Amino acid sequence: METMTEEEAFALDEYYTNNPPTVDPSKARIRIPVVRIDSRTARDLVSLSQPTHKTPEEIVSGLVRERAAAMP
């Protein structure tokens, strides 16, 4: 495999810094819905996540699954 020179690397960096690639959001493979929560809920999630070593996302997912399973 060829390696690039430092000069080529700097030129490539400058090119992509000045011409960032455009991304079409409609062609994204993963779409993650954004859910807004209030600051108190965010603090509660963080405080729940620390002792369990889970992310806030994992805690929310668990709570939602638990509630969904309890529904008739």
Side-chain angles (χ1 to χ4, degrees):
M1 182 174 156
E2 282 188 44
T3 57
M4 67 175 72
T5 65
E6 195 170 303
E7 185 178 288
E8 291 170 325
F10 282 127
L12 197 59
D13 176 59
E14 184 175 336
Y15 173 79
Y16 280 109
T17 299
N18 295 328
N19 304 296
T22 56
V23 178
D24 184 0
S26 67
K27 294 181 182 176
R29 293 182 184 193
I30 299 173
R31 293 194 177 129
I32 301 172
V34 175
V35 178
R36 298 191 185 274
I37 57 173
D38 59 83
S39 59
R40 179 175 179 203
T41 304
R43 283 193 306 271
D44 290 345
L45 277 171
V46 170
S47 66
L48 286 170
S49 69
Q50 289 173 342
T52 60
H53 303 291
K54 291 182 177 180
T55 64
E57 292 85 0
E58 290 171 323
I59 290 179
V60 169
S61 294
L63 291 170
V64 169
R65 287 187 194 115
E66 190 179 296
R67 287 295 289 268
M71 293 178 77

